[in-house]
Amino acid sequence: MDRLELQRLRDLPIEGVAERLGLQVTRHKCLCPFHEDHHPSMSFSIRRNTYRCFVCGEHGGTIDLVMKYQRLGFKEACDWLGGGAVLNILSTQNNQSNQNNNPPPFDASRYERYFERPWLSPEARRFLFEERKLDPRVVRWCRLTSWKDRQGTPWLQIPYYDMEGKLIGVQNRRLRNENHEPLTINPEPRFRFPAGSRCGIYNLPVLKMLKPGEELWITEGCSDCWAMLSSGHKAIAIPSATLLSKEDKDVLLEVQGPRSKVKGELGIRFEMWPDADVPGERLFLQLKEVLPDLVRHQLPQGCKDYSEYFLRVRN
């Protein structure tokens, strides 16, 4: 491939490439597919024709995005971009200018029935009970269910409810198949979210169960929350290593506020085991600004998050 052809691939609209890969770009942002992301943390620069995630640090241009997302080498990524994908990318980019930038609202009625009678596939049971060692009562409380797509890929489906128990979002997590083998040469992203899903603070209904003076544990991501619940503690999860939204902060302020309907006058004690990495420390500091009395617990050496600590204790 000569330099002119290579430059043509690098000049393809970066957002068009992202859309062609299956990412939903809104106002130059999308959920980062390279880490557990609940609020869009990947940004696109139209002027530089690049992408960057301000949480996990992934960045680059069109070819880099295809290489990372599709798990391809440089030549294979160029072949993908240089094939029929080019016309589709340009067509997608042109159509974006005629579309409303506002994402469609979340349609809870499409998903509520799946959580009324949750079903767990063999892959989901292995992940939840054998790998994660979770208490079955926690799995039932969280209404976790599973499904398989047309390619036979197993997914764990995680519902998000508001404090009143109303379904407000869904997170899909890709699982390994029964033989622990790669599902495809170019597997799906690890996480998927239906359009309009509000996946902010996880396990909000537990706030209604708090008693004055009780502990509430704050975890990072759903997996740590399940582990904390399986340890016998009441817990919520904050979106993994992302900036807290104003709505999330308002909920936390309501729980700690002197006139909170949840808290009462005696106060709720906030506790946290931050992940043993830079994003985990950043999240703790963000929470500390909202909750000055938040108590920090240090993970033992060799444990990157509470889920690993939970497994170490269980084993």
Side-chain angles (χ1 to χ4, degrees):
M1 183 177 295
D2 60 35
R3 271 190 290 176
L4 290 177
E5 179 65 15
L6 193 59
Q7 190 60 46
R8 185 173 76 92
L9 298 182
R10 286 172 172 158
D11 289 341
L12 287 170
I14 186 67
E15 291 188 349
V17 174
E19 290 280 0
R20 180 60 181 167
L21 289 169
L23 303 177
Q24 294 185 353
V25 181
T26 303
R27 297 185 181 131
H28 311 305
K29 291 185 178 181
C30 75
L31 293 169
C32 178
F34 306 128
H35 73 281
E36 187 175 357
D37 199 6
H38 299 267
H39 296 299
S41 60
M42 178 175 283
S43 294
F44 297 90
S45 170
I46 302 302
R47 182 174 63 85
R48 297 179 180 177
N49 206 40
T50 58
Y51 72 95
R52 176 178 290 275
C53 175
F54 291 94
V55 174
C56 68
E58 289 293 338
H59 65 282
T62 56
I63 299 175
D64 302 298
L65 182 59
V66 174
M67 288 175 62
K68 178 70 175 179
Y69 188 90
Q70 297 279 47
R71 298 184 182 179
L72 298 175
F74 181 85
K75 183 180 182 300
E76 290 77 13
C78 290
D79 290 342
W80 186 89
L81 283 169
V86 171
L87 292 177
N88 289 319
I89 288 168
L90 295 174
S91 175
T92 298
Q93 190 70 7
N94 290 333
N95 289 336
Q96 283 180 342
S97 61
N98 299 321
Q99 294 176 352
N100 190 339
N101 281 331
N102 294 323
F106 176 67
D107 185 4
S109 63
R110 292 184 56 189
Y111 301 95
E112 287 172 329
R113 59 192 177 94
Y114 298 121
F115 304 110
E116 291 175 358
R117 294 183 179 179
W119 171 78
L120 295 176
S121 66
E123 296 87 354
R125 288 185 174 276
R126 183 180 65 240
F127 173 74
L128 296 170
F129 302 128
E130 296 179 23
E131 296 181 16
R132 298 289 176 162
K133 308 292 185 185
L134 300 180
D135 189 323
R137 293 172 297 179
V138 170
V139 174
R140 289 194 296 270
W141 161 260
C142 295
R143 302 188 197 181
L144 304 179
T145 188
S146 59
W147 60 286
K148 290 188 178 182
D149 61 23
R150 293 179 181 179
Q151 288 73 42
T153 304
W155 294 84
L156 184 68
Q157 200 162 42
I158 306 164
Y160 279 68
Y161 297 95
D162 65 13
M163 203 182 301
E164 305 301 326
K166 177 183 176 182
L167 183 66
I168 56 176
V170 173
Q171 175 187 2
N172 293 288
R173 175 175 182 150
R174 180 169 54 84
L175 302 172
R176 291 179 294 173
N177 63 12
E178 282 188 288
N179 298 322
H180 293 235
E181 297 173 349
L183 299 170
T184 61
I185 296 176
N186 301 318
E188 295 257 12
R190 189 180 175 194
F191 299 97
R192 280 171 31 182
F193 301 83
S197 285
R198 289 166 49 202
C199 297
I201 297 179
Y202 177 70
N203 198 33
L204 283 173
V206 78
L207 299 182
K208 286 289 187 180
M209 302 171 62
L210 289 172
K211 299 176 182 178
E214 197 169 16
E215 293 176 350
L216 177 64
W217 291 81
I218 299 179
T219 62
E220 185 175 344
C222 298
S223 296
D224 283 359
C225 187
W226 302 331
M228 186 64 71
L229 292 170
S230 295
S231 298
H233 301 291
K234 293 176 181 176
I236 58 175
I238 301 295
S240 176
T242 58
L243 293 175
L244 291 171
S245 69
K246 184 180 182 304
E247 286 136 0
D248 293 339
K249 291 180 179 179
D250 288 343
V251 169
L252 295 174
L253 288 171
E254 182 183 355
V255 176
Q256 75 158 359
R259 297 183 181 179
S260 170
K261 296 178 182 178
V262 177
K263 174 189 175 191
E265 296 181 356
L266 298 182
I268 298 300
R269 292 178 291 149
F270 294 93
E271 315 270 345
M272 185 178 184
W273 296 78
D275 285 6
D277 53 23
V278 173
E281 181 65 22
R282 185 185 306 134
L283 179 60
F284 173 76
L285 293 176
Q286 293 172 21
L287 288 168
K288 191 72 173 176
E289 293 179 0
V290 183
L291 307 170
D293 297 328
L294 177 63
V295 177
R296 175 188 183 132
H297 298 263
Q298 188 69 40
L299 288 166
Q301 188 173 5
C303 290
K304 68 177 183 179
D305 55 30
Y306 185 78
S307 292
E308 283 197 2
Y309 175 65
F310 171 74
L311 289 175
R312 179 183 292 188
V313 172
R314 289 293 293 266
N315 293 331

